[in-house]
Amino acid sequence: MDAQNKEVAALIEKIAGLQSAIAELPSLSPSPEVDRLFTDLVTACVPPSPVDVTKLSPEHQRMREALIRLCSAAEGKLEAHYADLLATFDNPLDHLARFPYYSNYVNLSRLEYELLARHVPGIAPARVAFIGSGPLPFSSFVLAAHHLPDAHFDNYDLCGAANERARKLFGASEDGVGARMKFHTADVADLSQELGAYDVVFLAALVGMVAEEKAKVIAHLGAHMVEGASLVVRSAHGARGFLYPIVDPEDIRRGGFEVLAVHHPEGEVINSVIVARKVVDAQLSGPLNGDAHARGAVPLVSPPCSFSTKMEAGALEKSDELATKELAF
């Protein structure tokens, strides 16, 4: 076994052990043990790795899928906890940095906007949808407050309780950002005519937690979004695919989109970003058929801006310290 194979085998063994330990926890609500295990998991998955999760054995694929579901459940509980904590302040929006990974959302949303601005020049959407917004819709808030000041955001989530928490924090004001953020409890599969109203649709990483589910969601969006509308899909790359589903750009193309760019960040921003544009069927089989986009060979792009990993890591460390002080177990 060569060095690379040994590295991959050791990583899979470590992650399988963490998955087993996490699965045995009595609760995924925030606690020192939950925090320790997920910190170990993220630490193992974030560095560049030669692992290709699409080539895992069936046994390890099942482990990975189970782990992603555990990550999703834990993430929901963490966000619900901090939504309730923030709601205790007179001005919750002044305390968003108490959430330990808030800077990640700030940087991810900035990255998504700058990729959109690069590949969809002159973009100035009037209406934006965020599918899978959760109890702490930081992404929509950051985009609305800092990057898309004229856009109205419709946030969709399956969980009514999550939307109530989000509405209490972000949608209470009748002016400013709050006036441009609405919250809807719905399954994306039940949305049809509504999707035709949006200039941009963002698809959260955990909407569709296996490849087949994700492809089905994307195909549904492609069937109902209007020609020219943009789609921003969060994905993962390398070992980060143990934390979030990996989206195949070819599934996006088959869903009726032209894939404009794929970006795999390095450093603390975990999610990859895919930017696509809705096209008509004739375009998919027409003159573009010989083009790289039409063949599914999409450009891997460099970041549109330079993030300071050192500064971001410092901000995360500070947020973690705040979080430890806030959580009482």
Side-chain angles (χ1 to χ4, degrees):
M1 182 182 292
D2 61 29
Q4 189 174 91
N5 288 340
K6 287 181 179 179
E7 179 185 349
V8 169
L11 176 65
I12 293 173
E13 182 179 3
K14 181 178 180 63
I15 290 174
L18 288 167
Q19 188 274 335
S20 179
I22 291 169
E24 292 175 0
L25 289 168
S27 170
L28 292 174
S29 296
S31 72
E33 182 64 4
V34 170
D35 180 65
R36 182 185 69 80
L37 287 171
F38 278 100
T39 297
D40 288 348
L41 177 64
V42 173
T43 300
C45 293
V46 165
S49 169
V51 67
D52 183 348
V53 300
T54 65
K55 296 180 180 178
L56 294 175
S57 68
E59 176 187 0
H60 287 140
Q61 282 290 6
R62 289 190 293 271
M63 177 275 291
R64 172 179 169 258
E65 291 175 6
L67 181 56
I68 289 173
R69 294 185 189 280
L70 288 168
C71 289
S72 174
E75 187 173 305
K77 290 183 180 295
L78 181 68
E79 290 193 6
H81 172 87
Y82 274 91
D84 293 341
L85 172 66
L86 290 170
T88 64
F89 293 99
D90 291 335
N91 298 298
L93 300 188
D94 293 339
H95 301 275
L96 298 183
R98 290 177 181 270
F99 185 73
Y101 306 109
Y102 178 62
S103 62
N104 281 42
Y105 284 95
V106 170
N107 287 332
L108 175 57
S109 298
R110 181 175 62 185
L111 172 63
E112 290 172 323
Y113 169 73
E114 292 183 348
L115 286 169
L116 268 173
R118 176 194 284 189
H119 296 282
V120 188
I123 188 167
R127 294 194 64 185
V128 175
F130 196 98
I131 310 296
S133 48
L136 284 177
F138 286 137
S139 297
S140 289
F141 173 76
V142 171
L143 287 163
H146 300 291
H147 304 300
L148 299 172
D150 298 318
H152 288 260
F153 284 73
D154 285 317
N155 298 280
Y156 292 93
D157 200 276
L158 276 171
C159 179
N163 283 324
E164 284 303 313
R165 285 184 166 98
R167 190 176 293 113
K168 187 174 183 179
L169 294 176
F170 295 93
S173 64
E174 296 181 357
D175 55 9
V177 175
R180 294 188 285 117
M181 293 182 66
K182 304 300 180 186
F183 302 91
H184 311 277
T185 302
D187 187 329
V188 63
D190 296 327
L191 303 177
S192 54
Q193 190 173 6
E194 301 95 328
L195 294 171
Y198 300 113
D199 304 298
V200 183
V201 173
F202 289 83
L203 184 62
L206 292 170
V207 177
M209 285 186 277
V210 297
E212 295 79 7
E213 293 174 3
K214 187 78 72 172
K216 187 175 181 180
V217 170
I218 291 168
H220 181 78
L221 293 173
H224 297 286
M225 288 172 61
V226 297
E227 179 185 354
S230 298
L231 175 66
V232 180
V233 178
R234 292 179 178 177
S235 180
H237 182 67
R240 299 174 187 211
F242 287 105
L243 304 172
Y244 293 103
I246 290 178
V247 181
D248 185 347
E250 186 65 12
D251 284 336
I252 296 178
R253 192 193 69 81
R254 280 193 289 263
F257 297 90
E258 176 190 8
V259 178
L260 302 176
V262 179
H263 176 63
H264 301 308
E266 296 179 357
E268 300 299 332
V269 175
I270 293 176
N271 291 114
S272 299
V273 178
I274 303 174
V275 176
R277 177 171 50 211
K278 177 68 173 68
V279 296
V280 295
D281 290 343
Q283 285 179 292
L284 287 174
S285 58
L288 286 176
N289 199 38
D291 185 79
H293 291 314
R295 294 195 306 271
V298 299
L300 284 170
V301 300
S302 59
C305 58
S306 296
F307 296 116
S308 172
T309 303
K310 183 176 180 181
M311 289 179 63
E312 186 175 340
L316 282 171
E317 184 177 348
K318 184 176 180 181
S319 295
D320 284 335
E321 291 173 1
L322 283 169
T324 302
K325 292 177 182 178
E326 292 295 333
L327 290 169
F329 301 111

